[in-house]
């Protein structure tokens, strides 16, 4: 049965959702603004017979996730931007070894240690593979607390289905905001498909092995990469997610994800009252990016506005999707600043007038 | 209906708890809420604030451009947030600490001597409870029973404080009604 309506902060929501989604192995190293997540699990995991370990570092933690995944468990780590940078080597290894696992990034201001305020400047890192090699990481971007819960389930399912690390990309604001959430029911771990590749002791069966280093002279790595690419094509075909809120009379759409999309939605409500009709396109999977859906929508309007809590990262995917089908305008703010709906409304008015007073036009 | 309330004061004045009580009370009543706390690199004695949005419709942004209501528990909070309040908005002042009135003339305000009122009901540490009572009563967001329910949910497991807090919340409601 789903839970009753509960009031929790976003970090706690992810933690409880992970437990209900069958995560029994959590490894992490503290960093603001997501410490409530490990704090919650440090108490919760022992209750349900799971394992909570505060690793000696971020690198140790992601490699513990790798190990737990090798042994067949649903495993997770969480961090915030600088910590996620440290995990990139492990994520690349997991992608190469085809190991499922969930990585939570509650983004904060960067680069470097940056600050502890909300930001969304890790889009490039998350969607372009922050580690080395020809791999992709499915990236889910929740729009609020209920989606933090729901997409945590989705993250574990995609991870297992395709044997890949999956990233849930939130931000510091989302981690702190409290709103009512209804949790899906606990999954039954016994109901999950059996994994026929895990290393769980070979008594009574042929031994198995998992490799990260593929030196075979018969094009072993070449073939492996082609196999990975086939998998990424399948993910792109099957797992695209997005939300649109549009009306026929829209002259412009705004593209935003996560917290930025919520702020944009309030701005849109304000503008509709003024007679300026703007629709919302919210990508939920950032990789794969819902390019075709955005392209189709963009061909119905004259202008596409992009709003990000960064100086301009997702806008590149918007440009790839939209091309010259519509004018593209961008407005972004660096980490540490939380714009209000009024700021975004000013940008949309300016984009509508085309005077460039707020934000800028992107030349395609 | 949508009401955005910013609670602000020193760390330790129970600012975040007031927001938490309003959030729980409104959720139990079946309303939508978002609770957005500030969480800078702050320490005890620093500033704290949170914004609670309550609506009977879906709430998009937890960040408010211009709050409808400000609860200022100290002078610096009044200075910082007074300019952000919507025209015609309502400001609650902790009159035990803030002697002056807001400088704006296009907002309403109410001065609540919360420390004195809390002492009167024998709960000197319950000044924030008096304030949340006055706020809920004046704005009409929650009834007395709903506010008390919100307090109990927000302070789950701390039952020993419930009785004293209820008295302080009742005192806040009485002040909102009678102005004394």
């Amino acid at each position: 049965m789903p839970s009753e309506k509960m009031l929790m902060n976003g970090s706690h929501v992810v933690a409880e959702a992970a437990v209900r989604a069958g995560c029994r192995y959590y490894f992490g190293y503290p960093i603001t603004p997501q410490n409530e997540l490990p704090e919650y699990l440090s108490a919760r995991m022992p209750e349900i017979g799971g394992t909570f370990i505060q690793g000696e570092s971020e690198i140790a933690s992601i490699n513990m996730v790798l190990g737990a995944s090798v042994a067949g468990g649903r495993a997770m780590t969480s961090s915030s931007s600088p910590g996620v940078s440290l995990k990139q080597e492990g994520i690349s290894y997991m992608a190469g070894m085809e190991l499922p696992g969930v990585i939570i990034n509650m983004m904060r201001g960067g680069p470097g240690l940056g600050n502890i305020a909300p930001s969304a400047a890790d889009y490039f890192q998350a969607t372009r593979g922050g580690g080395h090699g020809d791999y992709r990481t499915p990236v889910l971007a929740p729009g609020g607390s209920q989606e933090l819960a729901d997409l945590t389930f989705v993250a574990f399912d995609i991870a297992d289905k395709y044997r890949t690390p999956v990233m849930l990309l939130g931000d510091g604001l989302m981690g702190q905001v409290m709103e009512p959430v209804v949790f899906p029911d606990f999954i039954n771990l016994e109901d999950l498909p059996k994994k026929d590749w895990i290393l769980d002791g070979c008594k009574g069966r042929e031994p198995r092995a998992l490799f990260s280093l593929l030196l075979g002279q018969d094009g072993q790595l070449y073939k492996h990469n082609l196999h990975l690419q086939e998998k990424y094509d399948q993910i792109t075909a099957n797992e695209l997610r997005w939300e649109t809120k549009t009306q026929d009379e829209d002259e412009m759409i705004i593209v935003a994800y996560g917290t930025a999309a919520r702020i944009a939605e309030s701005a849109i409500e304000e503008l509709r009252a003024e007679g300026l009709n703007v629709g919302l396109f919210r990508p939920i999977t950032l990789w794969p990016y819902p390019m075709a859906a955005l392209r189709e929508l963009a061909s119905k309007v004259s202008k596409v506005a992009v709003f990000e809590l960064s100086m301009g990262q997702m806008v590149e995917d918007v440009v790839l999707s939209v091309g010259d089908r519509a004018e593209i305008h961008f407005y972004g703010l660096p980490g540490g600043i939380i714009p209000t709906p009024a700021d975004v409304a000013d940008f949309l008015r300016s984009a509508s007038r085309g005077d460039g007073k707020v934000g800028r036009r992107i030349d395609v | 209906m949508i009401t955005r309330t910013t609670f602000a004061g020193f760390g330790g004045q129970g600012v975040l708890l007031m927001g938490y009580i309003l959030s729980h009370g409104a959720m139990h009543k079946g309303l939508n809420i978002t609770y957005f706390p500030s969480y800078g690199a702050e320490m005890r004695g620093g500033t704290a604030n949170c914004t609670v949005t309550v609506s009977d419709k879906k709430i998009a942004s937890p960040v408010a451009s211009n709050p409808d209501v400000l609860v200022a528990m100290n002078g610096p909070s009044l200075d910082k947030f007074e300019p952000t309040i919507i025209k015609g908005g309502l400001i609650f002042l902790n009159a035990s600490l803030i002697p002056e009135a807001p400088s704006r003339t296009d907002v309403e305000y109410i001065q609540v001597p919360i420390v004195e009122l809390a002492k009167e009901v024998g709960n000197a540490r319950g000044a924030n409870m008096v304030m949340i009572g006055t706020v809920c009563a004046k704005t009409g967001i929650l009834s007395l029973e709903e506010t008390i329910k919100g307090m109990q949910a927000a302070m789950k497991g701390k039952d020993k404080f419930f009785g004293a807090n209820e008295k302080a919340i009742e005192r806040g409601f009485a002040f909102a009604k009678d102005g004394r």
Side-chain angles (χ1 to χ4, degrees), chain A residues 4 6, chain B residues 17 20-21 24 28 149-162:
Chain A
E4 287 179 6
M6 291 162 85
Chain B
L17 182 57
Y20 207 25
I21 291 170
H24 270 288
H28 282 293
K149 212 168 171 187
M151 179 273 292
Q152 291 172 346
M155 300 186 69
K156 200 174 162 189
K158 295 179 181 171
D159 303 37
K160 61 178 177 179
F161 299 116
F162 286 2

Side-chain angles (χ1 to χ4, degrees), chain A residues 5 7 33 116-118 172-173 176-180 245 262-263 265-266 269 338-342, chain B residues 20 23-24 27 30-37 39-41 58-66:
Chain A
K5 214 182 255 186
L7 188 61
I116 61 170
L173 184 144
Q176 300 289 325
V177 163
M178 279 195 249
E179 49 190 334
K245 288 188 178 169
R262 300 189 72 169
I263 298 170
E265 204 180 328
S266 284
E269 288 165 10
I338 304 165
T340 65
Chain B
Y20 207 25
S23 301
H24 270 288
M27 182 178 82
L31 295 167
N32 293 315
I33 70 108
T34 61
Y35 166 95
F36 172 37
Y39 71 103
K58 183 178 174 277
I59 300 164
S61 172
V63 183
S65 309
N66 302 104

Side-chain angles (χ1 to χ4, degrees), chain A residues 7-177:
Chain A
L7 188 61
M8 294 166 105
N9 71 46
S11 289
H12 287 175
V13 168
V14 174
E16 177 61 27
V19 166
R20 287 168 178 258
C23 177
R24 292 294 178 273
Y25 304 91
Y26 174 88
F27 313 97
Y29 186 81
I31 183 169
T32 305
Q34 61 81 56
N35 285 324
E36 292 80 358
L37 200 160
E39 172 243 356
Y40 185 93
L41 287 177
S42 66
R44 191 75 170 102
M45 279 300 187
E47 278 177 13
I48 49 157
T51 298
F52 170 93
I53 294 178
Q54 180 176 317
E56 66 269 36
S57 70
E58 285 86 351
I59 299 169
S61 303
I62 187 70
N63 283 297
M64 290 178 192
V65 171
L66 187 154
S69 183
V70 164
R74 283 199 154 181
M76 178 172 97
T77 186
S78 68
S79 191
S80 182
S81 307
V84 177
S85 292
L86 288 165
K87 294 182 193 292
Q88 293 303 329
E89 179 192 63
I91 297 171
S92 170
Y93 276 54
M94 288 175 71
M97 295 168 75
E98 297 191 86
L99 295 173
V102 173
I103 300 109
I104 313 292
N105 183 2
M106 292 296 190
M107 293 182 280
R108 60 185 248 180
L113 269 181
N115 68 13
I116 61 170
S119 174
D122 300 352
Y123 183 93
F124 283 154
Q125 184 192 60
T127 61
R128 268 42 178 183
H132 61 280
D134 246 338
Y135 77 96
R136 290 293 198 170
T137 312
V139 181
L140 299 165
S145 296
Q146 186 61 52
E147 264 189 18
L148 278 172
D150 297 341
L151 291 179
T152 298
F153 278 72
V154 172
F156 279 102
D157 286 343
I158 293 179
D160 273 353
K161 183 173 174 192
Y162 299 96
R163 289 184 56 183
T164 176
V166 173
M167 183 173 284
L168 192 76
L169 196 63
D171 63 60
L173 184 144
M174 206 179 279
Q176 300 289 325
V177 163

Side-chain angles (χ1 to χ4, degrees), chain A residues 194-252:
Chain A
K194 289 277 167 281
K195 297 173 178 174
D196 59 4
W197 50 269
I198 57 174
L199 310 188
D200 57 346
C202 62
K203 196 175 178 186
R205 64 160 170 79
E206 283 298 299
R208 299 170 184 152
L210 289 163
F211 296 97
S212 169
L213 182 65
L214 303 175
L215 293 174
Q217 293 303 306
D218 55 346
Q220 191 186 14
L221 181 63
Y222 172 85
K223 287 177 199 159
H224 181 59
N225 267 301
L226 291 181
H227 161 68
L228 288 181
Q229 188 54 48
E230 267 175 38
K231 188 167 82 175
Y232 299 139
D233 289 345
Q234 277 177 28
I235 294 172
T236 305
N238 300 335
E239 303 298 340
L240 286 170
R241 285 176 168 79
W242 70 90
E243 183 190 35
T244 54
K245 288 188 178 169
T246 56
Q247 295 178 9
D248 286 343
E249 59 269 29
D250 289 337
E251 57 182 90
M252 179 158 54

Side-chain angles (χ1 to χ4, degrees), chain B residues 25 48 52-53 60 65 79 110-111 116 125 127 132 134 138 151 157:
Chain B
V52 178
T53 303
S65 309
D79 296 342
I110 170 167
Q111 293 168 303
E116 290 76 4
R125 291 170 63 198
I132 191 65
T134 308
K138 270 281 173 198
M151 179 273 292

